[in-house]
Amino acid sequence: MISAQRLGPRHSHCYLGHRIQDIGRSPSFRNTLYGASAAVLVTLTYLYGTDSRAAIHQWLVVPSFRWLHRDAEDAHEAGTRALKRLYEFGLHPRERGDPDRDGGLQVEMFGTTLSNPIGISGGLDKGAEIASPLLALGPALVEVGGVTALPQDGNAKPRVFRLPSQNALINRYGLNSEGADVVAARLRQRVRQFAYQLGLGLDEEAEATVLNGGAGVPPGSLAEGRLLAVQIAKNKDTPEGDVEAIKRDYAYCVQQLARYADIVVVNVSSPNTPGLRRLQREQPLTEILTAVVAEVNAISRTTKPAVMVKVSPDEDSDEQIRGVCRAIYDSGVDGVVVGNTTTTRPDPLPTGYVLPSREAAVLREPGGYSGPQTFEKTLALVTRYRTLLDEELSAESGESRPQRPGEPPATMSSALSLPLPSPERGTSAAPSGPSSVNTPEPDRTEIPPTAASLSPVQIVTEQLNELAPPAGSSSLPTALSPDTAATKPQSQPMIRLPERHKSVDASASASTSTSSAPTWPPVATKPLNQLAPPTPSPSSSPEESDAKAWIHLSERPTTTASTSTKQKKNIVIFASGGITSGAQALAVLDAGASLAMLYTALVYGGVGTVGRVKREMREQLQQGQQGQQGLQGLQGLQGLQGLREQGAVLRGAGEGKKGA
């Protein structure tokens, strides 16, 4: 063979060109090239197709399911099967990038720090077949069920109907269920499979290890920062007048299912089970919930699941709501899910829109209605339940139930008050409800009576003058130093739930508004029940302490009651009904809910809906923070002296206007 080095330059180039052509014609080279290209294409397709943010899920997958399955229930079942199979092979859509890692949407309830305040309502996964795939989409809570004690078929088909122009549904499923035994076996297998993946085995001992906290995750969700709720209901053929038989239905469900749940939801509000909503009357509801709480306390698990009751949006008179609230307090239930499908038929959106003839016919079908049009009613109900639970019934409830074995002690958290945008839709920011109901104010530090008549600018100016260092001093309080301020927003959550689900002494709460400022701010990277006030630095000046107190006005913790003082139990509220956007989720949280739950929005928006809602929440909260940046001085970028000069300018302008 002639070496290329022995040839001249011209001949050498020709030789190399021929060699490259020979390689290109080689079957092995072409196979390698095609294989590498195919691998890259498959990898990119996998990453795109399994990302819940991909537009294909909303604009191709959802319309395809609707086109292939004209019956809405068939589409529902096909979607459930698809998610289940994809999850088994690791091809399921999921939330990528861990957007909750910054802690900006963290909330705390039932002793757990949740990654965000968004949940998925029951009904989407009736048999607990796709709990893990749904959790992978990014919600902090997934509710499975409803599950009845015995299997039942539900109502006759067809029983689910679409209203595409309204992004709404009408269903009359009638609580079709495989029964508590089948669902419990499915949840048990899920726990044991999780234990096996951790190397604990597949036996009963491995299951007990996971359920008793040995895996370091909630025993229901099996995922850090997330919870699993199991909804239970009575059987259709259980006589509605036989409260003892109804209690046995719920008790059996608890015995079979509660050990695999973080929350047990008692459904007394389905409009498609005859007589079920009549169980919302105070006396039978109190008896049923008391029996459920007793059964939950008896399960063999170190920590007990919380108990919540799911109520109807149609039983909305003051007396009906008061009766539900009294039953909640008297039975020791932990929370209430406000909202279910409604038997009413709201007006189409936008206002004045005329439904197509086919949808107008669907609107006359009996069953429960769900969709964006129900949001205003949900917002109003959340406000009313929050008002009655906090302001009226808490005064009458007396001593709370004893603390459950293994239940973490109550801790306090506070809300970062931000101006919320008007809910999207068509919805209005103000809930429509009886004028006699007072909307509860968000948790904020009260302004002293002497300052009640001052304008916000005057109040801020006076505080700035008091906090400012002496003239000529270049020192800045630590809380306002640029270095500290630059890192502070990343270390504190945007959402902190008010004291709405903790045990609080009324007198202690009342004295908080006039007490001295706290010496410690909450830290987002730790649950509040692990926080301890730091030892005061001997070098801290009074000015620095005052500055820190003013900066954290919106984070002021409420003093907890002593062990010798009677405590009153505050109730968690989940809002469910018509929530389709981040602005609406923030609106129900501001009205007093602890979690915003999605259902119909997922049906029409696809698997990326949870991520979209959370993204919109972050954007709205960021805008709110920027809007309050000047008043609260959270950024401190200009330093205290600069803020003082701005206050002097504002005060001078105000005096000039007054003189004019």
Side-chain angles (χ1 to χ4, degrees), residues 322-359:
R322 288 178 186 275
V324 170
C325 293
R326 282 193 289 266
I328 288 171
Y329 274 108
D330 292 344
S331 62
V333 166
D334 301 282
V336 55
V337 181
V338 175
N340 203 328
T341 57
T342 176
T343 56
T344 62
R345 296 295 182 262
D347 294 331
L349 294 176
T351 303
Y353 177 80
V354 178
L355 290 175
S357 57
R358 183 178 178 182
E359 293 189 18

Side-chain angles (χ1 to χ4, degrees), residues 287-315:
E287 293 184 33
I288 292 168
L289 295 180
T290 300
V292 169
V293 170
E295 288 293 339
V296 165
N297 285 334
I299 67 170
S300 57
R301 206 177 77 182
T302 303
T303 58
K304 314 301 181 182
V307 179
M308 302 185 72
V309 57
K310 189 164 191 171
V311 298
S312 163
D314 298 325
E315 276 64 40

Side-chain angles (χ1 to χ4, degrees), residues 468-515:
S473 172
S474 60
S475 62
L476 292 176
T478 305
L480 283 178
S481 64
D483 294 339
T484 304
T487 59
K488 189 174 187 57
Q490 285 75 19
S491 65
Q492 293 200 1
M494 297 179 188
I495 291 181
R496 278 298 192 189
L497 296 181
E499 298 81 19
R500 53 180 70 133
H501 58 276
K502 311 292 184 180
S503 297
V504 171
D505 178 64
S507 60
S509 300
S511 63
T512 304
S513 60
T514 57
S515 62

Side-chain angles (χ1 to χ4, degrees), residues 282 318-330 384-399 568-571:
E282 182 178 351
D318 282 351
E319 185 54 36
Q320 287 171 322
I321 294 178
R322 288 178 186 275
V324 170
C325 293
R326 282 193 289 266
I328 288 171
Y329 274 108
D330 292 344
R384 295 171 67 190
Y385 268 96
R386 183 80 277 153
T387 300
L388 293 176
L389 286 168
D390 289 351
E391 296 182 1
E392 297 182 25
L393 291 182
S394 61
E396 304 171 8
S397 60
E399 188 173 359
K568 296 178 180 178
K569 181 179 178 61
N570 290 274
I571 304 301

Side-chain angles (χ1 to χ4, degrees), residues 9 39 45 51 72 132 217 229 233 257 262 285 314 343 385 388 403:
T45 302
D51 192 329
S132 296
V217 293
L257 298 164
D262 301 308
L285 183 59
D314 298 325
T343 56
Y385 268 96
L388 293 176
Q403 186 174 341

Side-chain angles (χ1 to χ4, degrees), residues 29 73 87 94 140 179 181 201 216 228 237 250 264 266 328 360 366 417 437 456 488 511-512 573 585 623:
F29 174 78
E73 183 174 357
Y87 186 80
R94 67 206 74 182
D181 291 337
L228 179 72
D237 57 0
Y250 285 108
V264 174
V266 181
I328 288 171
S417 301
V437 178
K488 189 174 187 57
S511 63
T512 304
I573 293 179
Q623 293 174 9

